[in-house]
Amino acid sequence: MFRKELGKKLARREDDFRLRGNEIFRIEAFSDAVFAFAVTLLIVSLEVPRTFEELMITIRGFFAFGVSFLLLMLIWYEQNLFFRRYGLNNKNTIALNCTLIFLVLFYVYPLKFLFSLLFSAQIFGVGNSPFAISEGDVGKLMIIYGIGFVFIYLLFFFMYLHAYFQRAALALTRTEIFDTKTKLFVNIIMICIGLLSIILAILSSPGLSGMTYFLIGPVLAIFYNYRAKKKKQLRKSTGL
C-alpha cells in the first residue's frame, strides 16, 4: 500500500520519466518484509528494561536508532524508485535485489553497533560506555561498515546498468536514458566514497574514515547541479 501511494507521488513529480512499475511484485513485498524485520532488529533488545536507568538508556538511544533507521529507509527508497521507474521483474533483477536485501539484513547489527558506539556518551553518560573497543578495532569496524556500503551501492549500480541494457525493450526516451546514466554515475560516486573510507580506515585513521561520508552531501549536490544543466541542454536540442 505504501509503495503504491509513493508511486502515485513519484508519477506526479517525475513528469519526464514514465513509471513502468505500476504493480507491486512479489519480490518487492518480500523486500518490505525484510526491511521491516531489519528495523525491528534495530530497536528491539533481548530484554525489557528492568530499572528506570535502563529505560532512560533505551530512550537516549533514540537518536542512534533514528540515524540507522534513516539509512535503511534511504536504501528502501532507492530500491522502490528503481522498481517504479523500470518495472523489471526478470531473473537478473530478482537476483540482484535478493543479494541487496541479504546485505541489508546482515549489516543491521554492525550498523546498530556503529551508531550506538558513536553516541555512547550521550546514551550511557561520559565514562560509562559499556563498549570495550580499541582504536584498532574501531578501524576494523569502519572497514566492515565501508565494505557493506560499497557492496550495497555496487548492487544498485548493476541494477541500473541492467536497466540501461534493457533500454530498447523498455522503450526509454533520451531523457530517461540520461536519468538512468545519472543514477549510474551517482552510484559510482557512492562506491568511491566508500572505498576512500575503507582506505583511510586501513591507514589507521578511523576518524577521517567516518568523516569521509560527510562528502556525500556536497559532492552529490555539485554533481546533480551539473547534470541538471546538461539535461536542460538535452531538452533544448531535442525540442522537449
Side-chain angles (χ1 to χ4, degrees):
M1 182 64 70
F2 186 61
R3 283 183 183 265
K4 286 186 177 181
E5 291 300 319
L6 187 57
K8 292 177 182 177
K9 291 182 180 179
L10 286 172
R12 290 193 294 268
R13 191 187 70 184
E14 300 201 358
D15 54 351
D16 56 350
F17 205 114
R18 181 169 64 88
L19 301 184
R20 294 159 175 82
N22 297 316
E23 297 297 325
I24 306 300
F25 301 123
R26 291 182 67 185
I27 187 63
E28 294 179 78
F30 176 68
S31 300
D32 287 347
V34 173
F35 275 104
F37 182 64
V39 171
T40 302
L41 291 177
L42 277 179
I43 194 171
V44 173
S45 59
L46 295 178
E47 296 181 356
V48 176
R50 291 169 293 182
T51 66
F52 182 74
E53 180 57 30
E54 289 181 357
L55 175 63
M56 291 306 297
I57 288 174
T58 301
I59 293 174
R60 289 196 294 267
F62 177 81
F63 189 72
F65 162 73
V67 175
S68 303
F69 176 80
L70 177 62
L71 293 177
L72 284 180
M73 289 301 98
L74 287 174
I75 296 170
W76 178 88
Y77 178 82
E78 285 296 325
Q79 184 234 32
N80 180 64
L81 180 63
F82 174 85
F83 279 104
R84 298 287 72 73
R85 279 184 167 183
Y86 304 104
L88 290 170
N89 192 36
N90 51 30
K91 291 181 180 180
N92 290 336
T93 306
I94 292 173
L96 289 168
N97 185 73
C98 286
T99 308
L100 174 68
I101 58 178
F102 169 78
L103 277 177
V104 167
L105 196 57
F106 183 81
Y107 269 86
V108 167
Y109 279 124
L111 184 67
K112 183 177 183 179
F113 185 89
L114 175 62
F115 285 101
S116 295
L117 176 65
L118 184 62
F119 297 103
S120 59
Q122 174 202 21
I123 298 171
F124 303 100
V126 179
N128 296 323
S129 174
F131 296 102
I133 184 169
S134 65
E135 185 174 347
D137 289 336
V138 173
K140 293 176 183 176
L141 178 60
M142 293 307 302
I143 291 173
I144 292 170
Y145 177 81
I147 290 172
F149 184 91
V150 167
F151 271 101
I152 283 172
Y153 283 98
L154 187 63
L155 286 167
F156 275 128
F157 171 82
F158 282 122
M159 288 170 72
Y160 276 97
L161 185 64
H162 178 58
Y164 178 75
F165 287 150
Q166 297 291 318
R167 60 189 182 277
L170 293 170
L172 296 181
T173 65
R174 289 185 65 183
T175 54
E176 289 172 339
I177 292 173
F178 182 90
D179 287 339
T180 302
K181 288 181 178 179
T182 297
K183 278 294 185 179
L184 284 170
F185 293 136
V186 166
N187 288 311
I188 290 173
I189 290 171
M190 299 293 275
I191 291 167
C192 289
I193 290 175
L195 289 174
L196 177 60
S197 175
I198 293 172
I199 292 170
L200 290 173
I202 292 173
L203 295 175
S204 301
S205 300
L208 287 176
S209 175
M211 294 292 288
T212 302
Y213 295 101
F214 287 101
L215 293 172
I216 293 174
V219 170
L220 288 186
I222 294 170
F223 177 73
Y224 274 122
N225 184 58
Y226 166 76
R227 293 294 286 181
K229 292 178 180 177
K230 297 288 288 185
K231 188 174 182 178
K232 191 175 181 179
Q233 293 174 1
L234 175 64
R235 283 175 169 171
K236 285 182 179 179
S237 65
T238 56
L240 296 176

